Amino acid sequence: MFDYHGFDEGYNIDSLEDIGMIEFWNIRDEDVCHFHFSDVNIAFEFYNRYARTKSFSARKNRTRKSHAGALKLKNFVCHREGFKPQNNYGIGNLKRKHTPETRCGCSAMMEIRVDAPSGRWFISYFSDKHNHPLLDPRLTGLLPGHRFMFEADIGHMVNMKKAKQRRQLPGDAYEALKYLEDQATNDPSLYFNHHMDADGTLRNLFWCDGLSRANYSLFGDVLAFDATYRKNKYMCPLVVFFGVNHHNQTIIFAAALICDEEKDTYRWLLQQLKVAMNGKAPVSVITDGDLSMKFTIEKEFPNAHHRLCAWHLIRNATSNIGKPLFTSMFKNCMLGDYEIDVFRQKWFEMVEGFGIENKNWVLDMHKKRHSWATAHIRGKFFAGFRTTSRCEGLNSIIAKYVNSRYNLVEFIQHFNPCVDHIRWKEVQADLASVNGRPSMQTCFQQLKRSAANVYTLSIFHMFQPILVRAASMKVINMRQTGSYVIYSVGLDRMPNEMWRVFCCDIEMEFNCLCMRMESFGIPCEHIVCVLVHEDIEELPRSLVLPRWTKTAKVGLQNAVGLHWDSLMLSQYSCLMDWFRQLANFACRDNERFIFTREMAMNLLKQFKEEDAAQKELVNDADSVRDGVQVDAFGAGLATNDLGYSMPRDPRKYRTKGGLHSLIKENIDVDSVVWRATIEQLVVFVVASHSQKAMEMTHLIMTRMIT
């Protein structure tokens, strides 16, 4: 038992402010044991802050009390301590999807005891040995123990909501371009461009940030785009370019506001997309069949496979033929996994059976069969896209952030949080994929475990039914042909339906005639059956498409605009807590307010100048943002340095089918200005990783409070 007088005064932790002064990233294990605390809650906050810096989360565990019922011991453990209860394991008829197992018996722990004479809590045992990989720092904040808002952030949001006013813009089009230019200072990889009429009226505006461009470099093999309406006060159609990420989630590559949906407009958009994405063209494109889009895709992406939306085709079949039985048969022809000869036979039998072989719509559909029939599309990679229904879902999300009263600047300002929301879903999926492992309850345990190690959780769940189907198949015969082995795979009850799988023993490459591996990037049940037959317990590298793996975005973890690591988050929370207190004291007295404001503005100016000087030393060879011109149709395309005359606002668009003024309540405007300045200052201080900056801001806070 320690005596209170034996405690080192330099290790006293009595408040959250004391915790905020600790540099957890520099603490050694032996240093941790010297700290002592005023109560249990402060001790837990200390350990949880430490855990956040080390990329794990803490939770409270065992408690021991004295005979009198007083608390005398408390354990804090890693969030992966212990094991999941084994109850109900082995039940195969559960409809609920099994959650990943996050508990793995980790022994990392901090134990505290109370010193009876002083009432201080000291660390009696500490271990930082984990039996599992620690999380990527960008995912730590998603753990339940760290997923909360700080009081400073909540207060800032409340005050800004009260003081929010609609700005009077001198020129909406000009201000939108100026806003994007300002955004580019924080995101050097942001690309935008616009197109004006001969009289200077803004026609089209295209933009994408650095992270969207980085995502396109990884997942731009499949592209979909569509126009949606009534999203701004000019009723200009919004065109969103999107695809799917390694979790099979929708991600946005770029966006544009256009004046019309003519061929030239879409061609300008695709030209801008190619410039922004460094000339990379997609492998496949899916649209709703709009003729202008089709013409543009053929001109700008001549080698891309163009697929028509299945949902729109089924709707057109209903409206053009008007017979439910025909619609059902047409759907089977379109989506059925047939050989081309079988498809041709079924098509003509269907058409002749209904006596519509001379109908224009039927003739047109047969002519376009290479763009919609699975039999003809087989082997072309579409990442599971069959319809543009993802676009409809994306539009419903966008509608929650923007509305028809927004001008251009307001639209872009509210559209960006929508993109952030979609990216937040991706980060949550990243955490679910690495924090724990799926339960193994089906056949082929080793092969399933191998898939779980490489695939993201959502892709692994898509692979599980394939394993189940493979269990009902067997290799009927096999023969050697040169360096290839040809396997015939089928069901016992259907011996006439077989699929052939080709295997190259030397390079461990597998190909099946069903071509589902080429179409989606996941091995089919026929290939899995061959793997089981040959006792292969690990997925060969040739069968693992990198875009579906957990490591698909390893090279982009530091991309601009998305993630902060645990150190920055810890510093940010400390500074925001200090500045919240500082703001409360400074805004009560005019002299204090002026002094604090000047100090904050000077620091902010200094940090901005330092950052600007560092950026000048970096060679932005990749950036295509400065001075890009694409003179597609002889109309003026201005560069992005705002060296052009003020463009006119776009004309109101007639579709195919403003922000509410808020009343200011009782709030000090100076306080709002101060908080906005402080928020910028905190970002620069944290990003600088400068101990001097931290000390200067702490000095200001101490002076004002005292």
Side-chain angles (χ1 to χ4, degrees):
M1 184 70 66
F2 284 107
D3 180 68
Y4 173 73
H5 299 290
F7 293 156
D8 190 336
E9 292 292 334
Y11 290 89
N12 285 357
I13 303 295
D14 297 323
S15 64
L16 295 177
E17 286 75 13
D18 293 337
I19 296 176
M21 295 299 296
I22 300 174
E23 298 179 357
F24 287 102
W25 54 93
N26 291 327
I27 291 181
R28 299 174 299 177
D29 290 356
E30 53 267 29
D31 294 332
V32 174
C33 296
H34 290 90
F35 288 96
H36 49 94
F37 315 94
S38 58
D39 60 54
V40 174
N41 292 331
I42 291 295
F44 178 73
E45 184 64 26
F46 167 87
Y47 187 57
N48 203 32
R49 294 279 185 97
Y50 171 84
R52 182 164 194 161
T53 307
K54 300 297 183 179
S55 297
F56 69 99
S57 175
R59 59 182 175 84
K60 299 175 182 179
N61 194 28
R62 189 166 61 94
T63 298
R64 185 181 298 173
K65 295 184 178 180
S66 65
H67 293 294
L71 187 65
K72 68 175 185 178
L73 180 145
K74 188 72 177 179
N75 285 349
F76 307 130
V77 298
C78 171
H79 70 286
R80 301 194 69 174
E81 182 270 345
F83 295 94
K84 183 177 180 179
Q86 299 298 312
N87 297 337
N88 297 328
Y89 264 41
I91 298 178
N93 59 353
L94 291 178
K95 294 183 179 180
R96 189 178 66 178
K97 184 183 297 183
H98 289 280
T99 58
E101 299 174 6
T102 57
R103 302 288 183 90
C104 61
C106 181
S107 60
M109 182 181 70
M110 186 178 86
E111 180 182 272
I112 60 172
R113 295 175 182 267
V114 65
D115 176 50
S118 64
R120 304 286 297 179
W121 290 83
F122 63 92
I123 300 174
S124 58
Y125 177 81
F126 179 80
S127 173
D128 198 34
K129 295 181 179 179
H130 299 266
N131 67 347
H132 58 89
L134 296 176
L135 286 177
D136 188 315
R138 70 193 180 94
L139 301 177
T140 307
L142 296 180
L143 294 173
H146 301 311
R147 197 163 59 224
F148 56 87
M149 289 186 65
F150 295 102
E151 183 181 350
D153 295 326
I154 296 174
H156 177 65
M157 290 176 62
V158 171
N159 282 340
M160 293 305 294
K161 183 178 180 180
K162 291 179 180 179
K164 191 175 182 181
Q165 301 178 72
R166 183 171 181 171
R167 294 184 300 169
Q168 298 297 323
L169 303 177
D172 190 17
Y174 179 85
E175 286 298 324
L177 298 175
K178 183 66 169 64
Y179 176 78
L180 290 172
E181 181 74 16
D182 292 340
Q183 292 292 103
T185 60
N186 296 323
D187 181 4
S189 296
L190 182 144
Y191 174 83
F192 70 94
N193 210 340
H194 71 285
H195 177 212
M196 295 187 298
D197 279 338
D199 62 355
T201 300
L202 181 66
R203 288 179 56 85
N204 310 315
L205 177 62
F206 174 97
W207 74 93
C208 60
D209 63 15
L211 187 55
S212 293
R213 297 174 66 190
N215 283 332
Y216 185 88
S217 68
L218 295 175
F219 309 119
D221 45 6
V222 177
L223 176 69
F225 64 99
D226 196 9
T228 183
Y229 312 96
R230 299 183 64 83
K231 301 299 183 185
N232 54 82
K233 76 175 188 179
Y234 303 102
M235 302 301 174
C236 294
L238 168 67
V239 178
V240 180
F241 297 89
F242 62 97
V244 291
N245 63 11
H246 52 315
H247 300 289
N248 200 31
Q249 296 174 324
T250 301
I251 51 172
I252 294 178
F253 297 137
L257 292 171
I258 58 178
C259 64
D260 56 47
E261 297 183 77
E262 300 299 326
K263 295 178 182 179
D264 287 347
T265 299
Y266 278 120
R267 190 171 184 183
W268 183 86
L269 286 184
L270 294 190
Q271 288 175 345
Q272 295 305 307
L273 183 70
K274 288 198 297 186
V275 172
M277 306 308 175
N278 299 318
K280 178 179 178 178
V283 175
S284 305
V285 182
I286 183 168
T287 69
D288 61 2
D290 182 88
L291 294 179
S292 297
M293 292 182 181
K294 181 178 182 298
F295 170 82
T296 304
I297 292 170
E298 292 174 352
K299 293 294 183 182
E300 298 299 326
F301 300 137
N303 297 322
H305 307 303
H306 183 200
R307 181 168 190 168
L308 300 178
C309 170
W311 182 85
H312 284 85
L313 293 179
I314 293 173
R315 185 185 64 176
N316 292 341
T318 302
S319 61
N320 283 276
I321 306 301
K323 298 179 180 180
L325 181 58
F326 172 84
T327 302
S328 177
M329 295 180 66
F330 174 77
K331 180 179 178 180
N332 291 334
C333 276
M334 176 172 56
L335 302 180
D337 195 6
Y338 305 123
E339 294 288 347
I340 293 180
D341 291 340
V342 176
F343 167 80
R344 184 184 300 111
Q345 178 184 350
K346 287 182 173 292
W347 174 264
F348 285 114
E349 287 178 356
M350 176 186 68
V351 170
E352 292 174 358
F354 285 92
I356 53 175
E357 56 267 29
N358 295 322
K359 195 172 181 63
N360 291 335
W361 182 83
V362 173
L363 296 174
D364 185 53
M365 283 296 98
H366 185 260
K367 182 179 179 181
K368 296 178 180 178
R369 62 190 181 280
H370 296 282
S371 297
W372 56 265
T374 301
H376 289 276
I377 292 176
R378 180 193 296 158
K380 298 178 176 62
F381 185 73
F382 281 94
F385 267 102
R386 291 195 303 188
T387 73
T388 56
S389 59
R390 283 182 181 267
C391 188
E392 303 302 324
L394 181 60
N395 290 341
S396 67
I397 297 175
I398 295 174
K400 298 177 182 179
Y401 289 85
V402 301
N403 62 52
S404 59
R405 294 186 295 273
Y406 287 167
N407 57 34
L408 296 181
V409 176
E410 291 167 343
F411 174 85
I412 298 173
Q413 289 174 339
H414 287 80
F415 181 79
N416 289 341
C418 175
V419 177
D420 291 338
H421 168 78
I422 294 173
R423 291 171 178 170
W424 170 251
K425 294 295 184 182
E426 178 182 316
V427 177
Q428 289 179 311
D430 285 340
L431 176 65
S433 293
V434 300
N435 188 35
R437 64 182 185 275
S439 58
M440 306 294 173
Q441 296 183 345
T442 61
C443 50
F444 314 143
Q445 296 290 317
Q446 294 299 324
L447 195 60
K448 185 174 182 180
R449 186 171 289 108
S450 171
N453 290 335
V454 295
Y455 288 137
T456 59
L457 187 61
S458 58
I459 300 302
F460 174 75
H461 286 158
M462 299 174 69
F463 183 64
Q464 282 183 305
I466 295 176
L467 291 173
V468 175
R469 292 197 296 270
S472 62
M473 294 186 168
K474 71 174 185 178
V475 174
I476 298 175
N477 61 66
M478 54 181 290
R479 58 188 177 89
Q480 184 86 30
T481 304
S483 60
Y484 282 87
V485 180
I486 303 176
Y487 299 85
S488 296
V489 179
L491 298 169
D492 288 333
R493 63 180 184 272
M494 301 177 67
N496 294 328
E497 292 189 13
M498 292 189 298
W499 295 96
R500 285 185 293 175
V501 177
F502 299 82
C503 172
C504 179
D505 291 336
I506 301 175
E507 300 180 357
M508 287 297 290
E509 292 184 352
F510 296 82
N511 299 97
C512 180
L513 289 182
C514 73
M515 292 188 176
R516 292 176 197 166
M517 177 66 197
E518 291 79 4
S519 299
F520 189 73
I522 296 180
C524 62
E525 55 267 31
H526 316 116
I527 293 178
V528 172
C529 180
V530 172
L531 295 179
V532 175
H533 181 268
E534 297 295 336
D535 294 327
I536 299 176
E537 297 182 344
E538 185 173 345
L539 282 178
R541 185 175 300 179
S542 62
L543 296 179
V544 178
L545 195 64
R547 73 161 354 264
W548 297 133
T549 64
K550 298 176 182 179
T551 58
K553 297 187 70 173
V554 167
L556 299 180
Q557 303 301 348
N558 295 322
V560 176
L562 182 59
H563 306 301
W564 284 7
D565 61 27
S566 297
L567 171 60
M568 294 179 67
L569 286 169
S570 178
Q571 292 179 338
Y572 180 85
S573 63
C574 291
L575 288 174
M576 286 301 295
D577 187 61
W578 291 338
F579 284 131
R580 177 182 58 80
Q581 299 180 56
L582 180 59
N584 289 334
F585 281 95
C587 67
R588 299 173 186 173
D589 181 83
N590 191 52
E591 292 183 1
R592 286 182 174 183
F593 168 75
I594 295 175
F595 169 77
T596 310
R597 181 188 62 187
E598 294 301 321
M599 291 293 291
M601 294 299 292
N602 289 336
L603 281 175
L604 189 58
K605 180 180 178 181
Q606 175 186 338
F607 297 153
K608 283 184 175 181
E609 290 175 350
E610 291 175 355
D611 282 4
Q614 291 178 358
K615 287 180 181 179
E616 290 179 0
L617 299 177
V618 178
N619 182 15
D620 294 331
D622 284 329
S623 179
V624 296
R625 181 177 54 82
D626 297 324
V628 174
Q629 293 192 9
V630 183
D631 192 359
F633 323 116
L637 291 175
T639 60
N640 292 335
D641 58 1
L642 290 185
Y644 39 74
S645 58
M646 183 180 295
R648 297 182 180 179
D649 294 345
R651 300 180 180 89
K652 195 163 185 177
Y653 178 82
R654 293 185 179 274
T655 64
K656 294 181 179 178
L659 185 66
H660 289 300
S661 297
L662 301 179
I663 300 175
K664 284 184 59 179
E665 299 180 4
N666 295 330
I667 187 169
D668 188 352
V669 176
D670 286 340
S671 175
V672 175
V673 175
W674 153 255
R675 290 179 185 274
T677 302
I678 287 302
E679 183 181 18
Q680 297 181 60
L681 179 59
V682 168
V683 173
F684 275 94
V685 171
V686 173
S688 68
H689 289 285
S690 170
Q691 182 63 27
K692 180 181 177 182
M694 294 281 287
E695 292 173 354
M696 291 175 67
T697 51
H698 179 62
L699 179 62
I700 298 175
M701 185 205 73
T702 304
R703 176 171 178 178
M704 291 307 304
I705 293 179
T706 56

